[in-house]
Amino acid sequence: MPKDRKSRKYKKNNSLVLAVFGAVLLFSGVGMAGFLQDSSATSTADAASRSVVPMAVDFPAPELALENVRGVTEALEEYRGQVVLVNNWATWCPPCKAEMPSLQKFYQAHEMDGFTIIAINAGDSRVEVDQFAQSYGLTFNLWLDPDGAAIQAFRNGSLPSSYVIDRDGMIRYAWTGEISYEMLEKYVTPLIQELN
């Protein structure tokens, strides 16, 4: 092999190794930060400062139908007329765990106002999802996504990622990362209060 081709191949492989190493470090740092923080001991100000600000968007919600934890297949379109927060998550994901109490609290505060949460689990078993839901006291909708259909439909492989769908089926906000209760109140509550 000519020296020039070997050099390019070495640089390409070296770049790939560095990219993978960087991703592992980033993921480890995020994971350790979430692991080391006890969510019950974290102040509201700390939780709000960790929360990402959503991106305002405007595009139709994807067609998506998945089985829920009770074994019934549901579709997003069945929730037309409600404000829906779709949350892609996994049981092993530290920021997913950290935001669950905020999601549950917000759901309880607004479920009677035409608001719901559909938390779509990325690849864990039904047993794992049930145990997680019980340990966190979750009462909102839990769907199972063993093949990554939701991640493909929303075109975002990061966890957690959340999307707020208005009553007309349009996605209005997109989050990648942990959401605080304060951010939910600031951005989602006005959508809940909008009239059709």
Side-chain angles (χ1 to χ4, degrees):
M1 181 181 296
K3 184 177 178 181
D4 189 53
R5 288 180 72 192
K6 281 185 181 179
S7 176
R8 274 188 268 151
K9 185 177 179 182
Y10 174 78
K11 285 179 182 177
K12 185 179 177 181
N13 288 343
N14 199 20
S15 296
L16 179 61
V17 169
L18 288 174
V20 171
F21 183 72
V24 169
L25 282 178
L26 177 63
F27 180 73
S28 299
V30 170
M32 286 305 292
F35 179 77
L36 295 174
Q37 291 179 353
D38 178 359
S39 61
S40 63
T42 303
S43 72
T44 303
D46 289 344
S49 69
R50 279 195 323 268
S51 181
V52 261
V53 175
M55 181 172 49
V57 295
D58 187 23
F59 57 91
E63 291 183 16
L64 183 65
L66 291 167
E67 195 173 283
N68 65 28
V69 290
R70 295 177 314 280
V72 177
T73 299
E74 295 184 89
L76 276 182
E77 65 186 24
E78 295 172 31
Y79 291 87
R80 186 69 57 93
Q82 296 183 53
V83 174
V84 179
L85 186 143
V86 173
N87 176 255
N88 291 318
W89 68 285
T91 61
W92 49 262
C93 162
C96 300
K97 294 177 185 181
E99 74 181 355
M100 284 299 171
S102 295
L103 293 178
Q104 179 62 34
K105 181 180 176 185
F106 189 79
Y107 173 71
Q108 287 177 310
H110 296 283
E111 67 178 311
M112 301 306 286
D113 304 324
F115 171 76
T116 195
I117 293 176
I118 300 173
I120 303 177
N121 179 270
D124 293 310
S125 72
R126 185 183 313 275
V127 171
E128 290 170 313
V129 173
D130 273 334
Q131 289 172 347
F132 185 94
Q134 288 175 17
S135 68
Y136 279 80
L138 304 180
T139 58
F140 46 74
N141 298 302
L142 295 166
W143 292 7
L144 304 173
D145 188 11
D147 301 318
I151 288 170
Q152 290 175 3
F154 287 97
R155 296 186 176 117
N156 185 354
S158 298
L159 297 177
S161 59
S162 299
Y163 307 88
V164 182
I165 304 169
D166 70 15
R167 297 179 195 279
D168 296 321
M170 297 297 290
I171 298 177
R172 302 277 295 276
Y173 290 109
W175 266 283
T176 298
E178 181 183 342
I179 306 172
S180 70
Y181 184 84
E182 291 73 24
M183 286 291 173
L184 290 165
E185 283 290 354
K186 181 175 180 178
Y187 291 97
V188 183
T189 300
L191 283 180
I192 295 169
Q193 295 170 345
E194 280 181 6
L195 298 175
N196 282 342

